[in-house]
Amino acid sequence: MLGPPIPTHPLDMATFLSRTAFRPTRRRLLATAPALGLAAAAPHAWAQGRKRVTRIIVPFAPGGGNDVFARQLAYSLNAMGQKDVIVENKPGAGGNLGTELVVRAPADSNTFLLGHTGTIAINPALYKNLSFNASTDLQPVAMFASSALLLVVPASSPIKSVAQLADALKAKNADLSYASSGAGTGGHLTAEMFLHALGARAVHVPYKGTAPSLADVAGGQVDFSFSVIPAAMALVKAGKLRALAVTSAKRLALLQDVPTVAEAGVPALAGFESTLTYGILAPKGVPQAEVAQFAADILKVASTPEFQSKLGIEGAEPLLGGAAEYARKVQEESRKWSEVVKFSGASV
């Protein structure tokens, strides 16, 4: 549980009266008439003063990292008392359904998107028939987190380092295989970037989800995988997988004993990095003053130790930036991943 639900509405006047020992004598009615008049107006006054509801659309089903981040962000914003925020899940088409909903939302709808690198920077290159481009048809508000992937092999594998995996890939010439949670996912494209850097090949085995892909890696049916961290670490701790490296530029606080891919000592992998950026985006046309205020609220929440500890549980780390910084990040990632999609041949 990420915290209590948003508080419910106060009791209305009828309920209040039914719970009191009020006897409507003529004298009392005359004495209380002004108060009752004020009470009758109270619902209207409350409605007038109530904060406008802000919707954060998560373009995936409940339970994943995107959903967890959005709900913790909403809970923290509500706790600040500055906004009335709700989260709505709109899954479908690899995140494109919910993303398009926000792209098409009116500027005054108070609707925002929980975006990440996959939906914003990868999908426009991966999906050939999209009628929109999230990287240009939405305006960034603020970014707040970054997550890496974990390179794992079966615990029974003789491969104990990234350098050994690189040697095996070159020696066996596509006889090794790697698993992903699906074609075009971060794990798939990260593996392709890794192989491209090495000038090596391997057989891609796509699955419908992370759990079945890791189960086959743990069972030795597939040789390696780049996986989201929480799911992979559960199997590493259970002694079924071996962690070789994280794909971030520096070691993660959560996994200080696990080196980065770039630390492998393999020249071709120097500077290797694959991370997903998380942030909030708005429809075009939302006033800049509103964007700036929402960004300030998000960054205030995201800078707290409580929020950052929630990120750590999901294998993510803080990456804070306002609209300008997030816009630069989106364009940088769009260029990077469109190139990876191109040389990998991935398409949906």
Side-chain angles (χ1 to χ4, degrees), residues 15-48:
T15 305
F16 170 75
L17 292 174
S18 71
R19 294 185 181 182
T20 63
F22 180 79
R23 291 185 176 87
T25 65
R26 183 174 183 275
R27 180 177 294 179
R28 283 191 176 178
L29 283 172
L30 290 173
T32 57
L36 288 172
L38 289 173
H44 176 71
W46 176 83
Q48 290 293 97

mmCIF file of all heavy atoms in Angstrom, residues 15-48:
data_model
loop_
_atom_site.group_PDB
_atom_site.id
_atom_site.type_symbol
_atom_site.label_atom_id
_atom_site.label_comp_id
_atom_site.label_asym_id
_atom_site.label_seq_id
_atom_site.Cartn_x
_atom_site.Cartn_y
_atom_site.Cartn_z
ATOM 1 N N THR A 15 -27.568 14.545 6.770
ATOM 2 C CA THR A 15 -26.945 13.534 7.618
ATOM 3 C C THR A 15 -26.593 14.125 8.972
ATOM 4 O O THR A 15 -26.773 13.514 10.023
ATOM 5 C CB THR A 15 -25.676 12.981 6.956
ATOM 6 O OG1 THR A 15 -26.031 12.498 5.672
ATOM 7 C CG2 THR A 15 -25.085 11.841 7.772
ATOM 8 N N PHE A 16 -26.117 15.373 8.958
ATOM 9 C CA PHE A 16 -25.753 16.032 10.204
ATOM 10 C C PHE A 16 -26.958 16.170 11.130
ATOM 11 O O PHE A 16 -26.906 15.845 12.308
ATOM 12 C CB PHE A 16 -25.168 17.414 9.898
ATOM 13 C CG PHE A 16 -24.990 18.262 11.136
ATOM 14 C CD1 PHE A 16 -23.945 18.002 12.016
ATOM 15 C CD2 PHE A 16 -25.861 19.292 11.423
ATOM 16 C CE1 PHE A 16 -23.785 18.766 13.154
ATOM 17 C CE2 PHE A 16 -25.701 20.060 12.556
ATOM 18 C CZ PHE A 16 -24.663 19.799 13.425
ATOM 19 N N LEU A 17 -28.058 16.630 10.533
ATOM 20 C CA LEU A 17 -29.251 16.812 11.349
ATOM 21 C C LEU A 17 -29.784 15.498 11.898
ATOM 22 O O LEU A 17 -30.262 15.426 13.024
ATOM 23 C CB LEU A 17 -30.341 17.517 10.531
ATOM 24 C CG LEU A 17 -30.059 18.980 10.163
ATOM 25 C CD1 LEU A 17 -31.150 19.506 9.237
ATOM 26 C CD2 LEU A 17 -29.925 19.846 11.390
ATOM 27 N N SER A 18 -29.693 14.420 11.089
ATOM 28 C CA SER A 18 -30.193 13.122 11.540
ATOM 29 C C SER A 18 -29.388 12.561 12.681
ATOM 30 O O SER A 18 -29.828 11.663 13.383
ATOM 31 C CB SER A 18 -30.195 12.132 10.365
ATOM 32 O OG SER A 18 -28.878 11.772 10.037
ATOM 33 N N ARG A 19 -28.171 13.062 12.893
ATOM 34 C CA ARG A 19 -27.305 12.535 13.943
ATOM 35 C C ARG A 19 -27.272 13.434 15.173
ATOM 36 O O ARG A 19 -26.434 13.294 16.042
ATOM 37 C CB ARG A 19 -25.885 12.340 13.401
ATOM 38 C CG ARG A 19 -25.832 11.260 12.330
ATOM 39 C CD ARG A 19 -24.418 11.001 11.889
ATOM 40 N NE ARG A 19 -24.386 9.983 10.845
ATOM 41 C CZ ARG A 19 -23.279 9.524 10.290
ATOM 42 N NH1 ARG A 19 -22.111 9.989 10.676
ATOM 43 N NH2 ARG A 19 -23.332 8.598 9.345
ATOM 44 N N THR A 20 -28.131 14.431 15.210
ATOM 45 C CA THR A 20 -28.175 15.317 16.374
ATOM 46 C C THR A 20 -29.547 15.242 17.019
ATOM 47 O O THR A 20 -30.532 14.787 16.405
ATOM 48 C CB THR A 20 -27.893 16.776 15.969
ATOM 49 O OG1 THR A 20 -28.918 17.204 15.083
ATOM 50 C CG2 THR A 20 -26.537 16.918 15.340
ATOM 51 N N ALA A 21 -29.620 15.703 18.252
ATOM 52 C CA ALA A 21 -30.896 15.674 18.987
ATOM 53 C C ALA A 21 -31.660 16.964 18.731
ATOM 54 O O ALA A 21 -32.036 17.684 19.651
ATOM 55 C CB ALA A 21 -30.629 15.490 20.474
ATOM 56 N N PHE A 22 -31.823 17.294 17.472
ATOM 57 C CA PHE A 22 -32.464 18.551 17.101
ATOM 58 C C PHE A 22 -33.982 18.384 17.128
ATOM 59 O O PHE A 22 -34.527 17.507 16.466
ATOM 60 C CB PHE A 22 -31.996 18.974 15.709
ATOM 61 C CG PHE A 22 -32.592 20.257 15.217
ATOM 62 C CD1 PHE A 22 -32.091 21.468 15.655
ATOM 63 C CD2 PHE A 22 -33.647 20.246 14.317
ATOM 64 C CE1 PHE A 22 -32.613 22.649 15.186
ATOM 65 C CE2 PHE A 22 -34.179 21.428 13.867
ATOM 66 C CZ PHE A 22 -33.660 22.631 14.297
ATOM 67 N N ARG A 23 -34.709 19.245 17.904
ATOM 68 C CA ARG A 23 -36.175 19.216 17.951
ATOM 69 C C ARG A 23 -36.682 20.511 17.295
ATOM 70 O O ARG A 23 -36.474 21.601 17.824
ATOM 71 C CB ARG A 23 -36.676 19.128 19.383
ATOM 72 C CG ARG A 23 -36.389 17.789 20.043
ATOM 73 C CD ARG A 23 -37.022 17.742 21.424
ATOM 74 N NE ARG A 23 -36.840 16.447 22.008
ATOM 75 C CZ ARG A 23 -35.760 16.087 22.717
ATOM 76 N NH1 ARG A 23 -34.797 16.957 22.895
ATOM 77 N NH2 ARG A 23 -35.673 14.866 23.223
ATOM 78 N N PRO A 24 -37.335 20.389 16.153
ATOM 79 C CA PRO A 24 -37.729 21.583 15.397
ATOM 80 C C PRO A 24 -38.945 22.315 15.967
ATOM 81 O O PRO A 24 -40.000 22.368 15.359
ATOM 82 C CB PRO A 24 -38.015 21.007 14.009
ATOM 83 C CG PRO A 24 -38.509 19.627 14.281
ATOM 84 C CD PRO A 24 -37.737 19.166 15.482
ATOM 85 N N THR A 25 -38.781 22.892 17.196
ATOM 86 C CA THR A 25 -39.848 23.730 17.739
ATOM 87 C C THR A 25 -39.892 25.021 16.950
ATOM 88 O O THR A 25 -38.935 25.384 16.248
ATOM 89 C CB THR A 25 -39.584 24.060 19.219
ATOM 90 O OG1 THR A 25 -38.407 24.845 19.289
ATOM 91 C CG2 THR A 25 -39.423 22.804 20.048
ATOM 92 N N ARG A 26 -41.018 25.734 17.054
ATOM 93 C CA ARG A 26 -41.151 26.997 16.301
ATOM 94 C C ARG A 26 -40.061 27.977 16.692
ATOM 95 O O ARG A 26 -39.459 28.637 15.858
ATOM 96 C CB ARG A 26 -42.541 27.599 16.567
ATOM 97 C CG ARG A 26 -42.822 28.872 15.778
ATOM 98 C CD ARG A 26 -44.275 29.306 16.000
ATOM 99 N NE ARG A 26 -44.570 30.480 15.206
ATOM 100 C CZ ARG A 26 -44.316 31.724 15.578
ATOM 101 N NH1 ARG A 26 -43.744 31.953 16.745
ATOM 102 N NH2 ARG A 26 -44.619 32.738 14.782
ATOM 103 N N ARG A 27 -39.806 28.085 18.037
ATOM 104 C CA ARG A 27 -38.787 29.018 18.500
ATOM 105 C C ARG A 27 -37.418 28.673 17.928
ATOM 106 O O ARG A 27 -36.679 29.537 17.497
ATOM 107 C CB ARG A 27 -38.736 29.014 20.036
ATOM 108 C CG ARG A 27 -37.686 29.966 20.613
ATOM 109 C CD ARG A 27 -37.742 29.974 22.126
ATOM 110 N NE ARG A 27 -39.029 30.546 22.582
ATOM 111 C CZ ARG A 27 -39.342 30.658 23.875
ATOM 112 N NH1 ARG A 27 -38.517 30.239 24.814
ATOM 113 N NH2 ARG A 27 -40.514 31.201 24.228
ATOM 114 N N ARG A 28 -37.117 27.366 17.945
ATOM 115 C CA ARG A 28 -35.787 26.968 17.437
ATOM 116 C C ARG A 28 -35.671 27.200 15.940
ATOM 117 O O ARG A 28 -34.628 27.559 15.418
ATOM 118 C CB ARG A 28 -35.515 25.507 17.761
ATOM 119 C CG ARG A 28 -35.131 25.293 19.221
ATOM 120 C CD ARG A 28 -34.614 23.901 19.419
ATOM 121 N NE ARG A 28 -34.167 23.730 20.797
ATOM 122 C CZ ARG A 28 -33.687 22.581 21.279
ATOM 123 N NH1 ARG A 28 -33.599 21.534 20.496
ATOM 124 N NH2 ARG A 28 -33.286 22.493 22.522
ATOM 125 N N LEU A 29 -36.762 26.926 15.227
ATOM 126 C CA LEU A 29 -36.721 27.142 13.784
ATOM 127 C C LEU A 29 -36.445 28.601 13.464
ATOM 128 O O LEU A 29 -35.660 28.929 12.569
ATOM 129 C CB LEU A 29 -38.047 26.708 13.150
ATOM 130 C CG LEU A 29 -38.253 25.196 12.980
ATOM 131 C CD1 LEU A 29 -39.684 24.926 12.520
ATOM 132 C CD2 LEU A 29 -37.253 24.634 11.991
ATOM 133 N N LEU A 30 -37.123 29.495 14.217
ATOM 134 C CA LEU A 30 -36.890 30.917 13.980
ATOM 135 C C LEU A 30 -35.470 31.322 14.331
ATOM 136 O O LEU A 30 -34.824 32.104 13.627
ATOM 137 C CB LEU A 30 -37.889 31.747 14.809
ATOM 138 C CG LEU A 30 -39.353 31.677 14.353
ATOM 139 C CD1 LEU A 30 -40.246 32.401 15.354
ATOM 140 C CD2 LEU A 30 -39.497 32.274 12.959
ATOM 141 N N ALA A 31 -34.956 30.732 15.428
ATOM 142 C CA ALA A 31 -33.608 31.099 15.881
ATOM 143 C C ALA A 31 -32.529 30.569 14.951
ATOM 144 O O ALA A 31 -31.479 31.186 14.791
ATOM 145 C CB ALA A 31 -33.380 30.571 17.303
ATOM 146 N N THR A 32 -32.812 29.418 14.362
ATOM 147 C CA THR A 32 -31.757 28.779 13.546
ATOM 148 C C THR A 32 -31.916 29.050 12.062
ATOM 149 O O THR A 32 -31.117 28.597 11.266
ATOM 150 C CB THR A 32 -31.756 27.260 13.770
ATOM 151 O OG1 THR A 32 -33.063 26.744 13.456
ATOM 152 C CG2 THR A 32 -31.395 26.910 15.197
ATOM 153 N N ALA A 33 -32.929 29.778 11.655
ATOM 154 C CA ALA A 33 -33.147 30.015 10.226
ATOM 155 C C ALA A 33 -31.931 30.599 9.520
ATOM 156 O O ALA A 33 -31.536 30.152 8.440
ATOM 157 C CB ALA A 33 -34.366 30.932 10.030
ATOM 158 N N PRO A 34 -31.270 31.626 10.100
ATOM 159 C CA PRO A 34 -30.081 32.166 9.408
ATOM 160 C C PRO A 34 -28.996 31.115 9.234
ATOM 161 O O PRO A 34 -28.357 31.034 8.192
ATOM 162 C CB PRO A 34 -29.636 33.300 10.344
ATOM 163 C CG PRO A 34 -30.860 33.675 11.095
ATOM 164 C CD PRO A 34 -31.598 32.395 11.311
ATOM 165 N N ALA A 35 -28.792 30.291 10.274
ATOM 166 C CA ALA A 35 -27.750 29.261 10.195
ATOM 167 C C ALA A 35 -28.086 28.237 9.130
ATOM 168 O O ALA A 35 -27.224 27.769 8.393
ATOM 169 C CB ALA A 35 -27.582 28.581 11.561
ATOM 170 N N LEU A 36 -29.386 27.857 9.080
ATOM 171 C CA LEU A 36 -29.790 26.879 8.080
ATOM 172 C C LEU A 36 -29.612 27.437 6.673
ATOM 173 O O LEU A 36 -29.266 26.715 5.734
ATOM 174 C CB LEU A 36 -31.243 26.475 8.303
ATOM 175 C CG LEU A 36 -31.510 25.587 9.530
ATOM 176 C CD1 LEU A 36 -33.012 25.408 9.748
ATOM 177 C CD2 LEU A 36 -30.825 24.238 9.354
ATOM 178 N N GLY A 37 -29.846 28.737 6.549
ATOM 179 C CA GLY A 37 -29.628 29.342 5.240
ATOM 180 C C GLY A 37 -28.183 29.244 4.817
ATOM 181 O O GLY A 37 -27.869 28.950 3.671
ATOM 182 N N LEU A 38 -27.295 29.506 5.782
ATOM 183 C CA LEU A 38 -25.875 29.390 5.484
ATOM 184 C C LEU A 38 -25.516 27.957 5.166
ATOM 185 O O LEU A 38 -24.712 27.660 4.277
ATOM 186 C CB LEU A 38 -25.050 29.886 6.674
ATOM 187 C CG LEU A 38 -25.071 31.391 6.914
ATOM 188 C CD1 LEU A 38 -24.343 31.697 8.228
ATOM 189 C CD2 LEU A 38 -24.421 32.123 5.757
ATOM 190 N N ALA A 39 -26.085 27.003 5.914
ATOM 191 C CA ALA A 39 -25.775 25.598 5.691
ATOM 192 C C ALA A 39 -26.231 25.156 4.315
ATOM 193 O O ALA A 39 -25.569 24.367 3.645
ATOM 194 C CB ALA A 39 -26.444 24.743 6.775
ATOM 195 N N ALA A 40 -27.395 25.656 3.883
ATOM 196 C CA ALA A 40 -27.883 25.276 2.563
ATOM 197 C C ALA A 40 -26.946 25.756 1.474
ATOM 198 O O ALA A 40 -26.794 25.136 0.422
ATOM 199 C CB ALA A 40 -29.284 25.882 2.348
ATOM 200 N N ALA A 41 -26.286 26.868 1.731
ATOM 201 C CA ALA A 41 -25.348 27.411 0.738
ATOM 202 C C ALA A 41 -23.987 26.740 0.817
ATOM 203 O O ALA A 41 -23.178 26.877 -0.092
ATOM 204 C CB ALA A 41 -25.183 28.914 0.949
ATOM 205 N N ALA A 42 -23.733 26.003 1.915
ATOM 206 C CA ALA A 42 -22.399 25.436 2.127
ATOM 207 C C ALA A 42 -21.936 24.504 1.016
ATOM 208 O O ALA A 42 -20.795 24.588 0.574
ATOM 209 C CB ALA A 42 -22.358 24.727 3.481
ATOM 210 N N PRO A 43 -22.805 23.546 0.519
ATOM 211 C CA PRO A 43 -22.332 22.671 -0.548
ATOM 212 C C PRO A 43 -21.852 23.439 -1.768
ATOM 213 O O PRO A 43 -20.848 23.111 -2.376
ATOM 214 C CB PRO A 43 -23.573 21.809 -0.865
ATOM 215 C CG PRO A 43 -24.372 21.828 0.402
ATOM 216 C CD PRO A 43 -24.161 23.189 0.971
ATOM 217 N N HIS A 44 -22.596 24.518 -2.112
ATOM 218 C CA HIS A 44 -22.175 25.317 -3.264
ATOM 219 C C HIS A 44 -20.837 25.992 -2.990
ATOM 220 O O HIS A 44 -19.939 26.005 -3.837
ATOM 221 C CB HIS A 44 -23.244 26.356 -3.577
ATOM 222 C CG HIS A 44 -22.855 27.291 -4.677
ATOM 223 N ND1 HIS A 44 -22.784 26.894 -5.995
ATOM 224 C CD2 HIS A 44 -22.496 28.605 -4.643
ATOM 225 C CE1 HIS A 44 -22.411 27.919 -6.739
ATOM 226 N NE2 HIS A 44 -22.228 28.969 -5.952
ATOM 227 N N ALA A 45 -20.690 26.517 -1.774
ATOM 228 C CA ALA A 45 -19.435 27.196 -1.430
ATOM 229 C C ALA A 45 -18.280 26.204 -1.430
ATOM 230 O O ALA A 45 -17.185 26.516 -1.893
ATOM 231 C CB ALA A 45 -19.577 27.846 -0.047
ATOM 232 N N TRP A 46 -18.572 24.986 -0.917
ATOM 233 C CA TRP A 46 -17.500 23.967 -0.890
ATOM 234 C C TRP A 46 -17.086 23.590 -2.301
ATOM 235 O O TRP A 46 -15.916 23.479 -2.619
ATOM 236 C CB TRP A 46 -18.013 22.738 -0.143
ATOM 237 C CG TRP A 46 -17.025 21.618 -0.141
ATOM 238 C CD1 TRP A 46 -15.980 21.447 0.704
ATOM 239 C CD2 TRP A 46 -16.975 20.517 -1.046
ATOM 240 N NE1 TRP A 46 -15.279 20.307 0.390
ATOM 241 C CE2 TRP A 46 -15.873 19.721 -0.676
ATOM 242 C CE3 TRP A 46 -17.770 20.122 -2.141
ATOM 243 C CZ2 TRP A 46 -15.543 18.557 -1.360
ATOM 244 C CZ3 TRP A 46 -17.434 18.966 -2.817
ATOM 245 C CH2 TRP A 46 -16.336 18.205 -2.431
ATOM 246 N N ALA A 47 -18.120 23.440 -3.183
ATOM 247 C CA ALA A 47 -17.818 23.062 -4.570
ATOM 248 C C ALA A 47 -17.020 24.151 -5.255
ATOM 249 O O ALA A 47 -16.090 23.881 -6.016
ATOM 250 C CB ALA A 47 -19.117 22.795 -5.337
ATOM 251 N N GLN A 48 -17.372 25.404 -4.942
ATOM 252 C CA GLN A 48 -16.659 26.510 -5.559
ATOM 253 C C GLN A 48 -15.207 26.548 -5.108
ATOM 254 O O GLN A 48 -14.308 26.874 -5.875
ATOM 255 C CB GLN A 48 -17.348 27.829 -5.175
ATOM 256 C CG GLN A 48 -18.707 28.031 -5.818
ATOM 257 C CD GLN A 48 -18.604 28.215 -7.310
ATOM 258 O OE1 GLN A 48 -18.779 27.270 -8.075
ATOM 259 N NE2 GLN A 48 -18.303 29.422 -7.747
#
